Amino acid sequence: NFTNHQSAIIYLTTFFSSTLPFLFYFIFLFYFHKKKSNIDSEKFILLSLALFVGTALFPFATVLNNHLLPAVLCGIGVLFLKYTELKSNLFLFLLGILFSLATVFDPGALFVAGCFSLYLLYLLFNKGFHKKQLFSLSFYILGLLMPIILHWLVNIQITGDILPASMHPEFFNYPGSVFSQDNLTNASFAVSGWREWFKYAGSMLLGQRGFLSHNPLFIVVILFTIGLLFKKGVAVRKRLYYTATLVSFILVVLYYSLYGKNYGGSSYTVRWFLIFIPLFIPIILEMVGLGKRKILVLIIVLSFVTAIWSVPASGLVFKNVSANPGWHMKNVIVKFPKYLREQVNNWCGMLNVGHRLGS
């Protein structure tokens, strides 16, 4: 039972809140590929495998965290917005729930939800304001409100307002606490001036813990998206989608580089930035859909290079592995054998089978 094997609770909760949503995202991706994509099935399977292991989503899908699920929820919502027509009020209601739930789990999702809500308004009203569109919008708003109201009813009993505990730094700053005004996110500005901000933001993206350092594919994808945004002849709907994606990226980076302390703590890469990985995946499909073999090869190579350090990080993303609690590729790979022994021993103990491995 769970009393004797409490680690089983963590494994099961991780599976249902992180691993399973990660798998569901790729199921949705396959569904929309079959309906809308011009990529042949063999290429798509190879591309999916590369993306499956080739981003920071993979290692975070193996640990309990509050960043993977909202990233998937936003990603699925964006897939619906990009590939479907707004003909169903039920779809708009579900879309509102997806964006609202993501925001409840991870405040950074608010920027994504806001940008793509504006994109949705264009899709609904670009041909004029009519009662039918206003009626449809009400379903989206209802979907947005339901998780927020439930969150507020629970949260007001804990924090006294709608803000989650993580946005109340005063709850963590008490005598004897390891937290202080200097290392608590949202307690104050993370930087003291423009030069320090530029250095901190640059390090969050390209430093030892940098998001782009650990996900080099997205350097190419972001540049490609910027190129599409300014390309002549691009349809307004597509141009606004690219704008919503890039602005979401900029706002998340801007917010956390101003208020987020210590790169999000001891974790593999910058955990706050998982939220916009799925936003760029439809654009990766567009890149491959151009039919140029070089693009597909580049994406696969960069993805599998990333997999060299992202796969060994599975289950390890929140561990201190050195005197400096900064996670990076070398530490992940060096500590992987020890972690593997720990996992085998944990499972043997939980299932009461086999022999423990020697240290």
Side-chain angles (χ1 to χ4, degrees):
N1 59 47
F2 287 138
T3 303
N4 295 332
H5 303 295
Q6 295 183 16
S7 59
I9 297 175
I10 298 174
Y11 278 105
L12 291 174
T13 307
T14 300
F15 177 76
F16 285 110
S17 67
S18 297
T19 310
L20 203 58
F22 177 65
L23 297 174
F24 267 120
Y25 176 77
F26 280 90
I27 291 172
F28 272 97
L29 196 64
F30 180 77
Y31 168 78
F32 284 112
H33 151 70
K34 297 294 287 186
K35 291 179 69 71
K36 299 289 184 178
S37 175
N38 61 346
I39 306 171
D40 64 65
S41 295
E42 290 182 0
K43 283 184 180 179
F44 182 81
I45 291 171
L46 183 60
L47 178 64
S48 296
L49 178 61
L51 294 175
F52 188 82
V53 297
T55 76
L57 290 179
F58 184 87
F60 276 86
T62 65
V63 295
L64 189 60
N65 67 92
N66 71 309
H67 303 290
L68 191 284
L69 181 57
V72 168
L73 293 173
C74 285
I76 292 174
V78 168
L79 287 175
F80 275 110
L81 272 176
K82 182 169 175 59
Y83 293 116
T84 61
E85 299 297 328
L86 304 178
K87 296 180 179 179
S88 170
N89 290 332
L90 177 61
F91 152 70
L92 290 170
F93 175 72
L94 293 175
L95 183 65
I97 288 178
L98 288 173
F99 283 147
S100 184
L101 268 179
T103 302
V104 166
F105 286 121
D106 184 352
L110 177 64
F111 299 108
V112 178
C115 288
F116 281 93
S117 291
L118 293 175
Y119 175 65
L120 172 63
L121 289 177
Y122 167 79
L123 297 181
L124 283 175
F125 298 110
N126 67 321
K127 295 181 180 179
F129 287 84
H130 304 285
K131 288 183 179 180
K132 183 180 179 180
Q133 283 88 343
L134 289 171
F135 182 69
S136 297
L137 180 63
S138 67
F139 280 85
Y140 177 69
I141 294 173
L142 180 62
L144 285 174
L145 288 176
M146 287 183 63
I148 292 175
I149 290 172
L150 289 173
H151 169 78
W152 175 74
L153 290 174
V154 172
N155 222 61
I156 196 171
Q157 302 176 64
I158 301 171
T159 67
D161 56 33
I162 197 171
L163 296 178
S166 61
M167 298 190 76
H168 281 277
E170 67 274 14
F171 293 167
F172 301 88
N173 188 6
Y174 52 85
S177 172
V178 297
F179 296 106
S180 67
Q181 190 81 1
D182 296 329
N183 60 17
L184 272 170
T185 293
N186 294 313
S188 61
F189 279 118
V191 293
S192 58
W194 283 105
R195 182 176 296 181
E196 188 179 341
W197 171 79
F198 188 80
K199 182 179 178 181
Y200 184 49
S203 184
M204 292 176 90
L205 293 172
L206 292 168
Q208 178 175 285
R209 293 272 299 283
F211 173 79
L212 297 177
S213 303
H214 286 72
N215 301 273
L217 170 61
F218 288 90
I219 298 175
V220 176
V221 178
I222 290 170
L223 292 175
F224 181 81
T225 307
I226 294 171
L228 288 175
L229 181 62
F230 293 102
K231 183 179 180 181
K232 292 183 179 180
V234 175
V236 175
R237 176 170 178 166
K238 282 191 173 184
R239 198 182 299 276
L240 288 175
Y241 169 76
Y242 303 141
T243 301
T245 302
L246 289 170
V247 172
S248 297
F249 169 78
I250 291 169
L251 290 177
V252 171
V253 172
L254 186 62
Y255 173 75
Y256 283 113
S257 63
L258 288 174
Y259 292 98
K261 306 290 180 63
N262 193 30
Y263 305 95
S266 175
S267 67
Y268 176 83
T269 190
V270 180
R271 57 189 174 88
W272 299 315
F273 294 166
L274 292 185
I275 193 70
F276 47 68
I277 290 179
L279 307 185
F280 286 100
I281 288 181
I283 297 174
I284 293 174
L285 296 184
E286 281 192 41
M287 293 172 65
V288 176
L290 295 175
K292 295 182 179 180
R293 182 179 177 83
K294 289 182 179 179
I295 293 178
L296 178 62
V297 171
L298 177 63
I299 291 171
I300 291 172
V301 168
L302 289 175
S303 295
F304 281 105
V305 166
T306 303
I308 293 172
W309 54 78
S310 71
V311 173
S314 302
L316 277 173
V317 295
F318 294 122
K319 294 230 177 174
N320 286 322
V321 293
S322 66
N324 175 10
W327 256 100
H328 54 86
M329 310 78 158
K330 179 182 175 182
N331 286 344
V332 173
I333 295 170
V334 169
K335 294 292 181 178
F336 180 65
K338 180 180 178 182
Y339 161 72
L340 185 61
R341 287 197 301 271
E342 289 177 359
Q343 293 303 302
V344 172
N345 289 334
N346 287 343
W347 277 103
C348 287
M350 190 174 74
L351 300 175
N352 197 28
V353 296
H355 301 283
R356 296 181 66 82
L357 297 178
S359 58

